[in-house]
Amino acid sequence: MLKVYAVEGLRAGMVVGRDIVDEQGNALISTGTTLTKEMIYGLLDRPIFSVYVEEEDPVVGVPSKENLLDDDYLNCYEWVYQQLEVIFDGLVQRGEFSANALQRIMDEKNFNELCDGAKAVSQIHNMGQEGSYLVHHCLHVGILAGLMGRWLGWSVLDQYNLVIAGLFLDIGKMQVPKEVLEKQGKLTDEEFEQVKRHSQYGHDLLAGTTLNANQDIMQGILQHHERCDGSGYPLQLKKETISRFGRILAILDMYDAMASDRVFAKRRSPFDVFATLYDDILDGKLDTEYGVLFIKHLCHALNGNWVRLSNGEKGQIVYLDESRVRSLPVVQTEKGEFIDLNKNKDIKVECILTANEV
């Protein structure tokens, strides 16, 4: 059977199921070709979103946890999480900032492991979230930022800086009262104003560190809640005055916040989140170029993940149509049935399942 993979999710040894063509329609790699690492690296340099791969019919059944969680990825993630938590506490509690500690986090090995294409997307959805939601959220945004930098073809330095901005974008929330951040139900106007100050708090915290010399990072942290139509905060900037980092982080922050469990809200289906993001793109709130690119790439990186359906069943995403931003997946249930959610409107994806939930 044919299965679609995001280019970042390709692995050497896979067999091409349909000709891979360039922007002019010329065949780059023919059907039936066995992919090599060199071929995959060549595709990463081109504006190609996904590739059809020929695979044997999948064996029906729940995969083991070992198939869902990558030990090397988990170990790297947990180490970076612990180091980031120490940096946050030192900066907020004592005004101390260690550039060397941040450099250790941003070591090339960690950077490559955590931002490894489709694997990164599946892992941050499949792992649990014990500990601080805020630190997990910042780390997720940093990982998504690394993916975006690669998808955009940015230089390694720009990718590196975007990751750092993502890692620190919500550190200012540590200066907002916990009872406000974790309040069940609607915030009062005064409480919402307190929350809205977090981007300024974060910017001000980092203004006393070596990061203050990098305006890309500083603007990204300050502006990640600005919106292109001027409806955001803290400065009500419009698109032309919002930095590229600010416009990208706005998208990544929204996605992870809605797709993750929070104290006051359960995680939503990524496809519901994509619909919300796309509506905000159409309404002129989010950047069109960055938003569409993010949705397309992340959507395809969800192939293979297990989901809970609204009818109570569990299923695995086996296909997504790469030609439509609002595409819904084809899901294979534990019974072996295939459900096309584009046609069956009575069933929806409720959420991506963690490995423990599968």
Side-chain angles (χ1 to χ4, degrees):
M1 65 174 288
L2 289 180
K3 186 173 178 181
V4 178
Y5 281 83
V7 173
E8 292 81 7
L10 295 174
R11 296 291 182 266
M14 289 181 170
V15 178
V16 176
R18 288 185 188 173
D19 287 355
I20 303 172
V21 298
D22 62 17
E23 306 90 287
Q24 287 74 44
N26 301 313
L28 295 173
I29 303 177
S30 302
T31 301
T33 301
T34 300
L35 291 172
T36 64
K37 286 185 177 179
E38 291 72 24
M39 291 177 182
I40 295 169
Y41 291 147
L43 294 175
L44 288 168
D45 292 331
R46 292 178 173 272
I48 296 172
F49 291 115
S50 56
V51 170
Y52 284 91
V53 171
E54 185 66 49
E55 295 187 346
E56 296 180 3
D57 289 342
V59 177
V60 178
V62 180
S64 66
K65 293 179 182 178
E66 286 72 25
N67 291 333
L68 290 174
L69 293 176
D70 182 288
D71 287 340
D72 289 340
Y73 193 96
L74 274 179
N75 291 335
C76 183
Y77 181 96
E78 289 172 0
W79 184 86
V80 171
Y81 170 90
Q82 291 167 3
Q83 301 306 306
L84 190 62
E85 190 171 39
V86 171
I87 291 175
F88 278 20
D89 286 340
L91 186 56
V92 175
Q93 302 300 330
R94 299 180 298 279
E96 298 172 356
F97 176 75
S98 172
N100 289 334
L102 177 59
Q103 185 60 48
R104 287 193 293 272
I105 284 179
M106 294 301 299
D107 178 84
E108 184 177 1
K109 179 180 180 296
N110 296 331
F111 187 83
N112 288 335
E113 180 71 49
L114 292 180
C115 302
D116 182 12
K119 182 169 79 169
V121 175
S122 66
Q123 293 304 301
I124 62 176
H125 279 291
N126 289 339
M127 66 178 68
Q129 281 195 24
E130 294 183 4
S132 167
Y133 163 78
L134 188 149
V135 180
H136 280 296
H137 174 60
C138 288
L139 182 47
H140 287 182
V141 174
I143 290 168
L144 294 174
L147 297 180
M148 273 294 284
R150 292 182 178 184
W151 294 337
L152 288 163
W154 281 7
S155 69
V156 172
L157 181 60
D158 279 344
Q159 292 179 39
Y160 178 95
N161 288 332
L162 185 61
V163 170
I164 292 175
L167 292 176
F168 285 94
L169 92 166
D170 266 355
I171 190 172
K173 283 187 175 177
M174 294 181 73
Q175 295 188 319
V176 177
K178 188 174 182 179
E179 61 270 20
V180 174
L181 286 179
E182 299 183 355
K183 180 180 177 180
Q184 303 282 343
K186 187 176 180 180
L187 298 176
T188 65
D189 290 344
E190 182 181 351
E191 289 168 337
F192 186 46
E193 287 300 319
Q194 287 182 289
V195 174
K196 286 167 64 176
R197 296 188 192 109
H198 80 270
S199 52
Q200 185 70 59
Y201 291 157
H203 178 274
D204 293 347
L205 274 170
L206 293 168
T209 74
T210 53
L211 294 181
N212 190 49
N214 190 306
Q215 286 307 296
D216 279 336
I217 293 173
M218 297 300 288
Q219 288 176 351
I221 292 167
L222 180 63
Q223 298 172 358
H224 72 276
H225 278 287
E226 299 290 354
R227 295 295 179 260
C228 295
D229 63 354
S231 63
Y233 62 83
L235 302 173
Q236 292 79 51
L237 301 178
K238 292 196 173 183
K239 180 177 180 178
E240 59 274 11
T241 54
I242 303 173
S243 69
R244 56 181 183 158
F245 276 35
R247 283 178 281 141
I248 290 171
L249 292 175
I251 296 162
L252 310 186
D253 179 52
M254 281 185 64
Y255 174 80
D256 187 68
M258 289 188 283
S260 301
D261 277 329
R262 292 167 283 174
V263 172
F264 53 85
K266 300 296 289 182
R267 66 191 184 275
R268 294 169 55 185
S269 157
F271 303 99
D272 288 344
V273 179
F274 293 151
T276 299
L277 293 177
Y278 196 56
D279 285 343
D280 278 359
I281 291 169
L282 295 179
D283 288 342
K285 294 181 181 297
L286 297 176
D287 184 280
T288 301
E289 176 191 356
Y290 295 143
V292 170
L293 181 140
F294 174 76
I295 292 171
K296 281 189 173 183
H297 275 286
L298 199 81
C299 188
H300 297 303
L302 291 171
N303 263 314
N305 276 272
W306 280 78
V307 298
R308 178 183 297 116
L309 300 174
S310 57
N311 64 356
E313 291 189 82
K314 296 176 183 178
Q316 187 176 36
I317 297 173
V318 295
Y319 175 75
L320 278 158
D321 180 358
E322 77 277 12
S323 66
R324 295 187 294 129
V325 174
R326 290 185 179 270
S327 177
L328 296 173
V330 175
V331 174
Q332 184 183 21
T333 70
E334 295 175 282
K335 301 174 183 177
E337 299 172 347
F338 290 90
I339 304 175
D340 185 345
L341 301 182
N342 297 286
K343 298 176 180 178
N344 191 331
K345 301 297 184 180
D346 294 330
I347 302 175
K348 294 183 177 182
V349 171
E350 288 193 340
C351 64
I352 300 289
L353 295 173
T354 66
N356 288 332
E357 291 170 331
V358 172

